[in-house]
Amino acid sequence: MLSNLDRAFLDAALALAERGRFSTTPNPRVGALIVKDGRVVGRGFHLRAGEPHAEAHALAEAGARARGATCYVSLEPCAHHGRTPPCADALIAEGIAQVVGAHRDPNPLVAGQGYERLRAAGVAVTAEDLAAAREINVGFFSRLERGRPWVRLKVATSLDGRTAMATGESRWITGEAARDDVQYWRATSCAILTGVGTVLADDPALTVRADRFAVAGVLRQPLRVIVDSQLRTPPDAKVLSMHGALVATTPRGDDEWIARRRALESAGIEILSLSEDAAGARVPLAPLLAALGQRGINELLVEAGPTLVGALLELDLWDELVVYIAPKLLGSRARPFAELPLAHLADARAGRLVEQTRIGDDLRIRIVRA
């Protein structure tokens, strides 16, 4: 059982892990502390894939003081050779006497093996599964356990649940503060998903523009993914203007589709062809999410219109809603934020309210799928 002091040190390790929130993808966010005689002698956090892990940084800072000390780490130390050597071996080599972990690693290459390797070497291990440790890597756990990213739907809506007027006019429903707040969700995401309808109507860039999310001088841009069964995305669309875009489509043989594909590929855009879904002529969303999971996408932000948002809700391919609500009414003719033709109350998509925060004149609520 963890003591209050143990929990305090694990909380500190989790706070260190937060420092990699915008940069570690596809790796998990991990923080580590080396503690000796009740004092922190080493701190570390993982910054980017291919670079040293949190434990390595903490051991380097601790130096000789690591011998006989305790390592508090927010995720089980790795036990396999990837782009860096196993952290479990490094802890053993430096003479760490005890490891306290906040959560088991879901990666099948680790999954308890890190703890077992430590125990076999005589290191005392306390293994916990804390909710906070899972939450900080919710997308990593989703990808490793379910084979798909954590799907977060972002919507800006009026009080009556409308996202655009009947004409399509939508700029702006929410205020500047709310729009700026969206930058956080983009920066924390591995990829952003939208539909071709949104691209044609609004021509968004869907990039991170706020320098406050740069890590060590680098502003990481998420992969932009466009769902477009007929390849109507213009090669000069803003969403394609920066390196790192993918158009998901369904294979067709007509001359117009082939010409559009060639135009996009000539512009350097990657095309992902997936067999159409059971409804026909639509990009299959479950296989698309699985394909993104295989690419190492942990957290997927959806910024799309009512068709794509509604399809994800209808298929239960969502995990979280981030809704910005403006104190205004757009009326019954305005467009809803999701095309979701439910007939009975029992069919309602339900969630659990986990946050409500005022952002400027608007309200941001977060709902996690029940």
Side-chain angles (χ1 to χ4, degrees):
M1 179 175 292
L2 294 177
S3 68
N4 289 338
L5 189 59
D6 287 335
R7 287 192 175 273
F9 284 135
L10 282 181
D11 286 345
L14 287 166
L16 284 169
E18 273 287 349
R19 298 177 65 176
R21 173 167 291 278
F22 308 117
S23 60
T24 63
T25 181
N27 287 358
R29 301 147 182 155
V30 183
L33 292 177
I34 307 295
V35 177
K36 191 167 189 178
D37 299 326
R39 295 179 58 248
V40 177
V41 296
R43 297 175 178 84
F45 64 94
H46 184 46
L47 188 65
R48 290 189 183 90
E51 297 186 7
H53 290 185
E55 298 94 326
H57 285 299
L59 287 169
E61 183 178 306
R65 295 172 295 180
R67 186 160 299 277
T70 298
C71 177
Y72 291 88
V73 62
S74 64
L75 192 68
E76 177 185 1
C78 61
H80 65 290
H81 282 273
R83 295 167 70 178
T84 59
C87 291
D89 289 355
L91 293 168
I92 294 167
E94 295 301 322
I96 288 291
Q98 181 180 13
V99 169
V100 181
H103 210 293
R104 177 175 167 139
D105 192 328
N107 188 337
L109 296 175
V110 186
Q113 297 177 61
Y115 290 147
E116 288 306 311
R117 184 174 296 191
L118 290 164
R119 290 189 179 104
V123 178
V125 173
T126 301
E128 295 290 328
D129 282 331
L130 302 181
R134 186 182 182 92
E135 174 64 24
I136 196 173
N137 285 307
V138 66
F140 181 74
F141 277 87
S142 176
R143 177 167 67 85
L144 270 295
E145 293 175 349
R146 302 187 298 176
R148 71 162 178 84
W150 179 266
V151 178
R152 182 177 288 123
L153 310 178
K154 190 280 294 182
V155 179
T157 180
S158 62
L159 277 175
D160 47 354
R162 306 292 172 164
T163 57
M165 303 305 294
T167 60
E169 179 187 2
S170 62
R171 294 184 178 177
W172 297 103
I173 294 174
T174 53
E176 184 176 350
R179 298 195 298 274
D180 182 67
D181 190 67
V182 173
Q183 290 287 304
Y184 169 85
W185 299 109
R186 290 184 182 179
T188 199
S189 300
C190 307
I192 299 175
L193 181 71
T194 194
V196 65
T198 297
V199 173
L200 294 174
D202 300 332
D203 195 21
L206 299 180
T207 54
V208 182
R209 298 183 294 275
D211 289 338
R212 66 184 182 275
F213 299 117
V215 176
V218 177
L219 189 62
R220 181 189 62 85
Q221 294 296 339
L223 174 72
R224 276 90 61 214
V225 183
I226 303 97
V227 175
D228 183 1
S229 62
Q230 299 179 46
L231 292 185
R232 294 184 294 151
T233 303
D236 61 350
K238 289 179 183 178
V239 73
L240 305 180
S241 63
M242 184 176 290
H243 176 72
L246 170 71
V247 177
T249 188
T250 53
R252 297 169 186 270
D254 59 275
D255 292 343
E256 186 174 6
W257 185 90
I258 293 173
R260 290 173 176 174
R261 175 167 186 151
R262 287 174 178 168
L264 288 168
E265 289 179 330
S266 296
I269 307 305
E270 182 182 0
I271 307 296
L272 174 65
S273 290
L274 298 164
S275 298
E276 63 187 34
D277 67 7
R282 296 193 308 185
V283 175
L285 296 178
L288 172 58
L289 295 182
L292 294 177
Q294 291 171 0
R295 289 168 177 256
I297 301 301
N298 295 328
E299 295 179 41
L300 179 68
L301 181 67
V302 180
E303 296 193 48
T307 301
L308 181 53
V309 170
L312 289 165
L313 288 168
E314 184 176 8
L315 295 170
D316 275 334
L317 295 174
W318 68 286
D319 299 296
E320 182 179 346
L321 270 166
V322 178
V323 185
Y324 295 88
I325 303 174
K328 59 184 68 171
L329 300 171
L330 299 189
S332 59
R333 294 183 181 179
R335 300 177 182 178
F337 79 69
E339 292 180 2
L340 189 62
L342 303 179
H344 305 285
L345 187 58
D347 299 327
R349 297 300 184 262
R352 175 171 54 88
L353 181 65
V354 295
E355 179 199 348
Q356 49 185 340
T357 304
R358 182 169 176 172
I359 307 291
D361 292 330
D362 304 313
L363 180 67
R364 183 188 71 206
I365 64 171
R366 287 178 55 226
I367 298 170
V368 173
R369 180 180 166 187

